[in-house]
Amino acid sequence: MTLKLQIPPLNLQSNSKKTSVHDTLDRQLHDLRLSVIDRCNFRCNYCMPQGSNPSRYSFLHEKEWLTLKEIVRLSTLFAQLGVSKLRISGGEPLLRPNLAELIHQLSLIDGIEDLALTTNGSLLSQQADSLKKAGLNRITVSLDTLDPQLFKRINGHKGTVEQVLKGIEEAVRVNFDCVKINVVVQKGINDHHILDLVEYFKGKKPILRFIEFMDAGNCNNWKAQDVLPASEIVKIIHAYYPIEPLKPNYWGEVASRYKFMDGSGEVGFISSVTQPFCRSCTRARLSTDGKIYACLFSPHCTDLRKLLREGHSDEALLNLILKVWQSRDDRYSELRPQIRASHVQSAKIEMFQIGG
Ligand code: SAM
Ligand code: SF4
Ligand code: SF4
């Protein structure tokens, strides 16, 4: 296959500082989520429920993973197209061998201004220091409850709250620019633990972010009635700890930010189900085996690893990435009600394959 880089291709705008590539809804390619491993040491009921694997999905063989060199090469190309933020995710990214080395190499890419990672925190106390020294700027740790029994029930009896809190403490100690805590709220499961989490983290460095339970993948048995709307979570918190909205830090920020009115910090809400933010979604996603996805819920992908391993040039790869982004029209969360009602939904990528 011969692919020629179209210079300047349709919608590719360039000034002396930065290239920008826009999709069909005029959303600029700005962020890249990298899934560096599809395996995980947890089995969260909303992501990879116990028993759902490997019957529906076989974990990738190591040979199928993009190598560190391939990840760095593709990230460099994405940076040339205007990506300045990288988020490393998984599966559980701290299980990926030589992760600190990868982070170091990614931090050296021209144009990458922000390097973040999302982890379940179970191995963080051992790795936080080396990740920080390697050049990681920000870290997000997932923690859905402080209750040890419930925590185990949610994650398939694989880890402990104690390990995760130790990881968070270490992340604070090594002084990441920002430490966030992701809480997926499932109605009737952990919604009565929201205030405990607020009480624990209020006034401390980590910023809590409550996330609506999403219909990611095909195996979490999602039902609309299991979603506690972010507006309800705001009310629950506000009744005990008054909060008020803050301006976004930047256009397209995923979380709506609120500050505690007593000055003890802030809290965020990610309302992908009840208040979709597709119109400002500037994120491309790369799976562990090098497939690019234009949306977290997309059944479609484009294989970049094939081109890499067939020895194609950077131009050919750039051209393919451009083609994917410039033809992007995804807005699943906006269309969710119609898509689900139609019962013709194609199988989606799983969250652990694509990294949240
Ligand atoms: N294993 C790491 C972790 O759990 O933080 C990184 C990968 S995980 C797929 C990334 C994020 O997606 C986590 O914060 C997790 O809680 C969130 N997540 C997974 N499934 C979800 C779902 N169905 N709805 C909302 N958030 C989800
Ligand atoms: Fe693993 Fe993260 Fe998925 Fe939980 S949410 S099963 S920790 S990948
Ligand atoms: Fe972006 Fe797709 Fe999520 Fe909409 S549904 S915000 S397009 S990832």
Side-chain angles (χ1 to χ4, degrees):
M1 180 175 27
T2 315
L3 287 165
K4 285 210 168 130
L5 181 67
Q6 309 141 351
I7 302 176
L10 196 66
N11 286 341
L12 179 65
Q13 293 160 9
S14 197
N15 58 31
S16 55
K17 280 192 184 149
K18 201 100 188 156
T19 298
S20 67
V21 182
H22 296 254
D23 70 8
T24 63
L25 300 173
D26 202 27
R27 297 169 296 189
Q28 187 184 334
L29 173 59
H30 187 258
D31 314 47
L32 178 64
R33 299 255 160 130
L34 291 164
S35 171
V36 293
I37 190 164
D38 57 346
R39 300 174 199 189
C40 188
N41 53 349
F42 281 13
R43 289 290 179 273
C44 302
N45 69 342
Y46 47 73
C47 174
M48 197 197 290
Q50 195 84 267
S52 68
N53 263 312
S55 57
R56 300 168 85 124
Y57 175 77
S58 305
F59 291 109
L60 296 167
H61 189 279
E62 281 183 37
K63 281 191 202 137
E64 298 176 271
W65 301 353
L66 288 183
T67 62
L68 299 200
K69 209 170 150 193
E70 288 169 335
I71 297 173
V72 174
R73 182 171 169 205
L74 287 180
S75 302
T76 305
L77 297 178
F78 274 96
Q80 287 171 17
L81 294 176
V83 165
S84 61
K85 287 173 77 169
L86 294 180
R87 178 171 291 276
I88 297 164
S89 187
E92 175 43 43
L94 270 51
L95 293 174
R96 173 83 194 218
N98 305 316
L99 180 65
E101 176 55 27
L102 172 66
I103 286 171
H104 175 62
Q105 291 186 29
L106 293 173
S107 74
L108 300 176
I109 296 174
D110 205 19
I112 298 301
E113 293 159 8
D114 184 30
L115 199 45
L117 177 142
T118 308
T119 171
N120 65 25
S122 58
L123 303 168
L124 188 56
S125 62
Q126 299 97 299
Q127 295 190 33
D129 190 43
S130 60
L131 299 179
K132 172 76 170 85
K133 286 186 177 137
L136 189 69
N137 306 117
R138 299 185 298 123
I139 197 149
T140 300
V141 183
S142 303
L143 177 64
D144 303 317
T145 175
L146 291 171
D147 180 287
Q149 298 313 320
L150 179 60
F151 181 79
K152 279 177 169 270
R153 274 216 309 283
I154 292 176
N155 75 32
H157 296 267
K158 299 291 183 189
T160 66
V161 173
E162 204 185 340
Q163 284 170 334
V164 179
L165 288 177
K166 232 170 119 190
I168 295 169
E169 266 170 39
E170 185 61 4
V172 171
R173 191 192 69 76
V174 304
N175 207 15
F176 283 108
D177 298 347
C178 183
V179 180
K180 289 190 179 138
I181 311 295
N182 273 0
V183 183
V184 177
V185 180
Q186 296 176 86
K187 205 192 253 180
I189 307 259
N190 64 337
D191 49 346
H192 50 297
H193 291 256
I194 291 170
L195 289 173
D196 291 349
L197 283 159
V198 172
E199 203 164 311
Y200 184 87
F201 285 107
K202 201 168 157 292
K204 297 187 177 147
K205 177 171 178 172
I207 298 173
L208 278 172
R209 302 195 318 169
F210 293 94
I211 307 177
E212 289 177 350
F213 175 33
M214 296 187 287
D215 54 339
N218 315 286
C219 59
N220 67 7
N221 197 25
W222 183 90
K223 292 184 215 67
Q225 58 265 35
D226 297 335
V227 178
L228 185 66
S231 57
E232 294 294 320
I233 308 174
V234 169
K235 278 189 208 154
I236 291 171
I237 297 174
H238 185 69
Y240 284 85
Y241 304 104
I243 49 177
E244 63 183 7
L246 279 171
K247 283 199 186 119
N249 280 320
Y250 52 88
W251 185 83
E253 190 171 25
V254 169
S256 311
R257 299 165 58 226
Y258 282 66
K259 68 169 185 183
F260 291 106
M261 286 158 74
D262 66 3
S264 59
E266 65 174 85
V267 60
F269 302 91
I270 303 182
S271 55
S272 4
V273 178
T274 61
Q275 294 164 64
F277 37 79
C278 297
R279 292 305 158 131
S280 58
C281 179
T282 55
R283 289 171 293 282
R285 296 177 149 87
L286 194 61
S287 66
T288 313
D289 56 348
K291 297 190 172 102
I292 176 173
Y293 287 81
C295 173
L296 183 55
F297 299 93
S298 179
H300 309 295
C301 62
T302 301
D303 192 353
L304 295 180
R305 191 191 62 186
K306 186 166 180 293
L307 261 70
L308 277 173
R309 295 195 180 169
E310 284 172 359
H312 286 265
S313 65
D314 284 354
E315 277 201 343
L317 286 156
L318 278 168
N319 216 23
L320 190 54
I321 299 168
L322 271 174
K323 201 171 142 203
V324 169
W325 196 263
Q326 291 181 336
S327 57
R328 176 184 191 242
D329 61 359
D330 302 74
R331 50 190 186 99
Y332 177 86
S333 286
E334 283 184 3
L335 303 174
R336 177 179 284 110
Q338 296 94 298
I339 294 175
R340 293 193 70 90
S342 72
H343 300 293
V344 288
Q345 200 176 4
S346 322
K348 292 171 277 177
I349 180 84
E350 297 295 340
M351 195 81 150
F352 56 85
Q353 291 174 273
I354 199 68

